[in-house]
Amino acid sequence: MSQPSPRVPSQARRRSPFGVTVGVLAAIVVAVLVLAQVWTEVLWYDQLGFLEVLRTEWFTRGALFLVGGALMSAAVWSSLAIGYRARPVYAPTSPEQVNLDQYREAVEPLRRLVTFAAPAVLGFFAGVAASQQWETIQLWLNAVPFGEVDPQFGMDISFFVFTLPGLRFIVSFLMAVVVLSGIVAVATHYLYGGLRATGTEGERTSRPARIHLAVIGAVLMLLIGANQWLDRFSLLTKSGNAIDGATYADVNAVMPSKAILTGVAVLVAVMFAVAALRGTWRLPVIGIGLMIVSAVVIGGIYPAIVQRFQVTPNAQELESEFYQRNIDATKKAYGLDEVETIPYNATTEAVAGALADDAEPTASIRLLDPTIVSNSFRQLQQGKQYYNFADSLSVDRYVIDGESRDTVIAARELNLEGLDRRNWVNDHTVYTHGFGVVAAYGNTATVDGQPAFYERDIPARGGLGEYEERIYFGQNSPLYSIVGAPEGKGNWELDYPDDAAGGQVNTTFPTDEVSAGPAVGDPWTKLLYALKFGDEEILFSERVTSESQILYDRDPRTRVQKVAPYLTLDQRVYPAVADGRIKWIIDGYTTTDAYPYASARSLDEATSDSLTEGTESIAALLPEMVNYIRNSVKATVDAYDGSVTLYAWDAEDPILKAWAKVFDTSLRPMSEISGELMGHFRYPEDLFKVQRELLGRYHVGDAREFFGGQDFWQTPDDPVSGTPRQPQPPYYLTLKMPSQDEATFSLTSSYIPAGASGRNILTGFLAVDAETGNEPGKVREGYGKLRLLELPRNSTVPGPGQVQNIFNSDPGVSESLNLLRQGQSNVLSGNLLTLPVGGGLLYVQPVYVQASQGTRFPLLQKVLVAFGDKIGFADTLDQALDQVFGGDSGADAGDAGNESPGTTPTPSPEPSDPGTPAPSPSPTPEPTDPTTPEPTDPPSIDDPRAALEAALADAAQAMRDADAALKAGDFAAYGAAQERLSAALERALAAEAALGD
C-alpha cells in the first residue's frame, strides 16, 4: 500500500502592494471629503461663538445613534445566535426538512457573515432613526413645568409637551426592535428545524425555540399595552372635524377601552409566559384572538355606537364642556386669552371735521406700498447694476428731527447677477459686500410722486447719522467671499463707486481686528474649503493669504437657524440701523403640537397670503403643525461682521426655558438690548397671521355659540391682487384704536363673514400694539396688546373687496385713471389700508403710474379714500380726505402741501350711494400754460443721477399737465404736454443708460 504523499502547506496569499495603496488612498480621500463638510462646520460654529450648539447636537445625535443601534444590533444578533445554537442536533427526517437542507447548505458558508452583518446593517438604520429624535430626548431630559394642568387628567402641561413625546418614542422604538428580532428569530428557528410547520403540537416547536419566541411575544404584548395606555393621554391632542382634543365619546368610550385593551395586552403577555413553561401555544393564540376581538369591539364598535346613538342626537349638550375646553386651551396656547374686544358701532356718515380727534394717526397714514415702490428704490437709489434691493421692502419707524416717523427702508445689497464680467476673482474677492440703506418717509412723497428719501446715496447722507454701511451679510450675498489681505498688498475689494476717486473706492476687510468668518490662510484649511465649494481657485489663488477669512452661510435667516435649530423663524427678515450698525432682525418662535385641547394649525397655510405667494425675498415656512406658539426670541445678525445674537424675548416661555437648559450659553437676557435696537423690534407678522386666523373662530368664547358656528369670520382675499384664496396681508401702520389714548405703531387686519357666500361686509378689525418702546432692556407697557373691534351683526360697512369694486367701477375715478394710462403708462393700485378713525372705518389706497416701456418705475400720482358711501380721489391724501369729509376732514395728512404747483386738485365725485353711478367730476379751472414748466438748463449727462431725477420730475409734471389740459378741453396744450413727456422720457432713458455704464 503506497504511502500518501505529504500535503504541501499552501502559501499565504500575498496582498498586492498596489491594492493596499489604492485602498489607503481611497480611505484618505473619503476621510478628507468628510472633513471638508464636517470640520468646516466646526470652524464656522467656533468662529461665531456657538460651538456649544453644534457639540450638544452632535453629542446627543451620536449617543442616540449608538444606543439605538446597539439595542437593535444586540436584539437581532441574539435572535440569530439563539436560533442557531438552539437548533436540534438531529433534524427530523421529513419532506419539509429535506427541502430546507439545500437552504441550510447555501447559507452555511455565509452564516458567520450574516450573523454580524445583518445586525450591523439594521443597527445602523435604527441608530439613524433614533438620532433624529435628539430634540425630543433633550426636551424630555430638560423639562420644566408649565404651571398649568390639563382639564382631563389634572397633570401639568409639561407632561404632554415634554414627557409624553419621549415616552412614545421609546415605546415605539422598542416595539420596532422586538418585532424585527422576532421576525429574525422565527426565520432562524424554522431554517434550522427548531420551528416546523408540520407534525404534532409538541413536535412543531423545540423547547428552546418555544421559550425564545414566547419571551419575545410577552415583551411585545407588554409594549403594546404600554402604547395603548399612552394613547389615552394622546387623545387630548388628537385632531377632530370640529375641534381638536378629546370629545365626549373619547372620554367616555375610547379612554376606558384603551385601559381595557392595556389590561388585555398584559394578560396575553402572561399567557406567553405560561406557554414558555407549559409547552403549548394554545393560551397565547386564544389571548391574541381575544385581543383582536377586544380591539374591534371595545376599541372600535363601542365608541362608534356611543358617538352615533348618544352623542350625535345630543351633540350640543354633551359636547359643550369639551368645546369650552378647546376654546380656553386654544386662546391660552396662542396668546389670545387677553384680547380686548371692543363693540364698534361704526358710522358710515362722513361729516366735516370728523378726523379732528384722530389728527395723529391721520398724519401718519402710510402711502408708500413697500412692494410697489421697490422698483422706485432700484431706479433712483440702486446706484450701480451690481447693487439691488429686495422686491418687498420693510416698514419700520425712526426718530427724525425728534419725531417718530413710519419709514419704508431697504438695504442696498450686492447683486452679482448685475455684473457684466463674471469670474472667480470678481465674484469672490472683489465684489464682496453691499453698501448702506435707503429710507423714505412712509406717509408722503415728493411733488412728482417719487419716494421722499431722508437717507440716500452712496456714501449715505440723510437723517440716520453715521453707521457702518458695508453689508457683508445679507439676504442676497454671494455663496462665499474671501476677504482680508496682508499689509502692503493693496486694496482689491470694491467698496463703493465714486467719480472723484477715479470711478471707485476700494477697501480691505480688517481681518486683524474683526472676525467675520473662519481663517482660511493655511494650506490644510484651503484644501478643505476648496473641496467644500468645489473651487480649486481657493487652493491656488494668491488672493487667499495668511490674513484671509472666508464668509459663507451669509443669509441672516440661515445663520440664525443654524445656531438655534429649535426655533421656527418668521418669514420676514428686515434691516434696521441701530448702535452704529446695520442689523438684520429675525423673530423666532418656540412651538409644539402637544398642548392639550388646543386647535392645531399648519404654519405654512396660516401664514400664506398674497404677499408671501408673490414675493421672492420673503422665505416660505416649511409645513409644520403646531397648537402652541410663542415669540420667545428676537435675533439679530450684524450685516458687517455676521455676528448672531439671540435675545430671550419671552423668558417665561417653558419651552424656551427647557432649551436654555440644553444650550445654557447661547441666549442673551433682554436687559442687554440697547434702547436704539429696542426701538426697531416689533410684533412679528407670522405670529399675528396665525392669531388672526384663529380669532376668526375663537372670538366666539361661548361653547354653545361656537357649536352653532353662525358668527365665524375670515380674512378677506386681497382685492388688489385679485387672486382667489390669497388673503390680504396684514399692514404695519401708526394708528389709535378707540380704547387707546395715543397712536402707536401697530399691525392690522380686517374680517368679513366666513363661508362661501362671498358677502364682503366688514365684521371686525384686529390690531396689535407693535411698538416696543426705546428704553434699554425693557419693553414698553402695552406692547403685544391685541384689540378686536366687533361691528354689529347688522352692519353694512363695506369690506375691502367691496371698496375696491367701488373704486374700480366709479365713473369719475375710471375716467381719471384712463387718462393716467395715456401716453404709454400703466396704473398700479397700492395696498388698500383700513383705519378706524372718525367713528367709522376709513379706507386709503395709493395709486401709482409707471411707464409701460423703457425705464419703468412707479410714481405716486393719486390717492383714493373711502368712508361709508363717500369716496375721494385727488393728488394728495389731504385733498382726498377733504373731499370725503365735507371740504375739511379736521386733520392734516402727512402729505399736506404736496400738491403739484400750477395745477388744482381734481374734484372727487360724491355719490349718494356706492351702488349708483356717480356724476362725472366737474371741470377743473384753466390749467397753467403747459409749455411754461419746460425744463431749463437740464443737468449735464456727466451727472447721470441728477439728469435722471430731473428727467423724471419733468415727465411727471408733463403727465399732470396733460391730464389737466385734457379735462379742460385744451387739446393744443395736451399735445404740447405729450411732446414734453416724450422728450423727458428720452432723457431719462439716456441717463439710465449712462448709469449702467
Side-chain angles (χ1 to χ4, degrees), residues 321-361:
E321 175 187 356
F322 304 99
Y323 271 69
Q324 195 62 53
R325 290 181 180 182
N326 173 253
I327 292 170
D328 296 341
T330 300
K331 288 184 174 182
K332 187 72 176 177
Y334 290 95
L336 302 174
D337 49 335
E338 295 184 3
V339 175
E340 181 183 356
T341 302
I342 306 167
Y344 191 63
N345 190 12
T347 180
T348 57
E349 183 178 356
V351 297
L355 303 185
D357 293 335
D358 295 298
E360 185 179 358

Side-chain angles (χ1 to χ4, degrees), residues 15 31 246 399 528 603 771 810 856:
R15 295 177 179 175
V399 177
L528 293 182
L603 278 186
E771 180 58 61
D810 182 87
R856 295 181 297 171

Side-chain angles (χ1 to χ4, degrees), residues 499 940-949 990-995:
D499 292 336
S940 169
I941 198 67
D942 293 335
D943 186 2
R945 169 61 56 196
L948 175 61
E949 293 182 359
E992 177 68 18
L995 279 175

Side-chain angles (χ1 to χ4, degrees), residues 535-683:
D535 283 346
E536 67 276 5
E537 290 87 351
I538 297 176
L539 194 59
F540 300 110
S541 174
E542 293 183 359
R543 291 201 170 190
V544 185
T545 70
S546 59
E547 302 296 322
S548 295
Q549 294 177 4
I550 185 167
L551 317 182
Y552 60 99
D553 286 341
R554 300 160 75 177
D555 179 78
R557 205 167 185 273
T558 300
R559 294 177 79 79
V560 174
Q561 193 67 81
K562 289 183 70 172
V563 303
Y566 53 89
L567 291 178
T568 298
L569 301 182
D570 196 274
Q571 297 176 96
R572 175 77 74 168
V573 177
Y574 62 98
V577 176
D579 304 322
R581 292 292 186 93
I582 301 173
K583 302 278 190 178
W584 295 99
I585 299 177
I586 309 102
D587 285 284
Y589 307 111
T590 44
T591 63
T592 183
D593 61 353
Y595 196 97
Y597 275 104
S599 287
R601 289 295 183 271
S602 172
L603 278 186
D604 61 319
E605 294 180 3
T607 58
S608 176
D609 56 33
S610 63
L611 187 59
T612 61
E613 291 297 317
T615 307
E616 294 181 1
S617 61
I618 301 179
L621 291 180
L622 295 176
E624 179 185 3
M625 293 299 296
V626 305
N627 67 359
Y628 172 96
I629 185 171
R630 289 290 185 273
N631 178 210
S632 54
V633 171
K634 298 283 189 182
T636 65
V637 176
D638 192 297
Y640 181 64
D641 62 20
S643 57
V644 178
T645 308
L646 307 176
Y647 295 105
W649 188 251
D650 185 356
E652 299 304 312
D653 172 45
I655 298 180
L656 185 64
K657 285 183 178 180
W659 282 117
K661 292 173 65 178
V662 178
F663 306 118
D664 57 0
T665 63
S666 64
L667 290 170
R668 303 280 186 88
M670 186 185 294
S671 59
E672 295 187 13
I673 302 175
S674 69
E676 191 173 358
L677 179 59
M678 180 70 77
H680 295 291
F681 289 147
R682 65 190 189 189
Y683 200 82

Side-chain angles (χ1 to χ4, degrees), residues 512-535:
D512 56 334
E513 300 174 3
V514 181
S515 177
V520 69
D522 63 274
W524 171 246
T525 309
K526 289 182 183 180
L527 174 62
L528 293 182
Y529 279 106
L531 292 172
K532 179 181 181 69
F533 293 110
D535 283 346

Side-chain angles (χ1 to χ4, degrees), residues 48 62 154 443 551 583 619 721 793 997:
L48 205 54
N443 63 336
L551 317 182
K583 302 278 190 178
S721 72
R793 287 177 173 80
D997 294 338

Side-chain angles (χ1 to χ4, degrees), residues 43 102 397 473 500 578 588 718 847:
L43 294 176
Q102 56 182 328
R397 64 273 186 222
F473 296 83
D718 188 355
V847 178

